[in-house]
Amino acid sequence: MVKNFNSIILSSLILIFLLTAKVINLPESNLITLAVLNDLSKIEGKLISNPVKSSDKYYSVILQVTQCESYRNEKFSVCGKQKFLVPAEIIEAFYPDKLFSKNKNTGHLLPLEQGISIKATIKTFSTEKQETIFIIDNIITSTYENSIRGNIYKFRGYCRIQFKRLMKDWGRAGGFLLALLSGSKEYLDSKISNTFRHSGLSHILALSGMHLSLISSIAGIVENKSALKKIGLLLKVGTIILFVWFAGISPSLFRALITCLLISTCSFFNIPDADNITLLGTTFLVHMMLRPVDFYNLGFLLSYCALLGIFIFSTFIKSKCSRFLPGYIGESFSTSVSANIFTAPICLKYFGFYSPSGIICTMVISPLITIFLYSGILCMILCFFIPNFSYLASHLLNFCYSIIIRIVDLFSFIPVVSIVNN
């Protein structure tokens, strides 16, 4: 529990109240232009996000739009960011062994990844709530800017495609590993996602603090072995930033990154550690300054609420169950229960159900996921130096994957708590 109700915690609570009550309006992603939005036929801009699969038919991207054109060939300047839906056949035309990659001519185009500039034709639709939905119909041109930054983004996009090619060769285990390491779910069976959700394990597939802790622990080996601790710390932070940049920033992963940078900064300058809730409040304030639109994101809510529950209740629950759940088991159980106390209401509201089995399932699956991730990273390193090892790696990882999926399947049969609408 927090001994001192300090200014950071108070500021966080006030900001949450103001945002929830909508006294402060968050900046929305929209386009500022003299053109009529429903009359647009073409746009030009730069992707500032990776494509994210939103359904079987569409991916979503965030585009920094610079110019647009109407059906009457009128051109307008544009300022702003906007979410666009992109048909799966356009995105997956470059993905290894996907249906659309086999029959679509994409010789003059490049894979759609963060940092690429595009010119495209679009369609617009208005919903019943008078919201405009933008759909990219066809890509006319796609290029990276001729600069150091552009070349870096181009190299990143190439590496992500190559990474997906390797994961595809590893079958279902590769698709699962791809989702865990980069957040890309193109090769992950939708049934698996549903099974994880019904088992209360949606957080496993979302890039978050667990994944960053894994990378941090690997990079920490360099820090611990380094004669100069501060140099090792900088290498560790650099590795974490590189991972987040490669994987793409999601709200939960961005929260974990801010926390990691705050802790590392305090360690570098020998600043005494703050209590956990103060650290979480500081992370929240920094997050709101840099990416305020994340406040209404489901991943954002689950990430912060889970940590808040852990920091408030974990020690108390652990002290009560230490008599019959000793050591690691008691700690893992108290952490899982504490996180579920605050996230259960959110799951009921957004999903319509809550899975109590997630408390126990998380305790069982998390260590296996950690082993699977470590094994996957080790296999990737070995395959880089010994390409022929890929065949054996595929069998090893698929064996581990089958064990994980069978356990998750068992927990998915446990009844969930659902909301019945009358």
Side-chain angles (χ1 to χ4, degrees), residues 26-93:
L26 294 176
E28 298 180 356
S29 296
N30 53 21
L31 303 179
I32 301 175
T33 179
L34 295 176
V36 178
L37 296 182
N38 289 334
D39 193 37
L40 297 182
S41 63
K42 295 179 182 179
I43 53 94
E44 293 183 30
K46 179 185 291 186
L47 266 68
I48 59 174
S49 73
N50 297 315
V52 177
K53 194 169 187 178
S54 55
S55 68
D56 290 336
K57 295 182 178 180
Y58 291 101
Y59 285 72
S60 64
V61 298
I62 304 297
L63 197 66
Q64 179 76 53
V65 185
T66 56
Q67 190 171 346
C68 64
E69 185 176 329
S70 70
Y71 284 103
R72 294 183 294 275
N73 297 323
E74 299 169 330
K75 294 185 178 181
F76 299 87
S77 295
V78 188
C79 179
K81 306 171 185 177
Q82 182 61 51
K83 176 181 176 180
F84 285 80
L85 296 179
V86 187
E89 57 263 31
I90 293 179
I91 300 294
E92 295 180 356

Side-chain angles (χ1 to χ4, degrees), residues 20 52 69 100 105 120 168 176 201 271 286 292 306 345 347 367 369 421:
T20 303
V52 177
E69 185 176 329
F100 304 114
N105 181 17
K168 184 272 300 181
F176 186 56
L201 297 173
I271 300 174
V286 174
C347 291
I369 292 293
N421 296 321

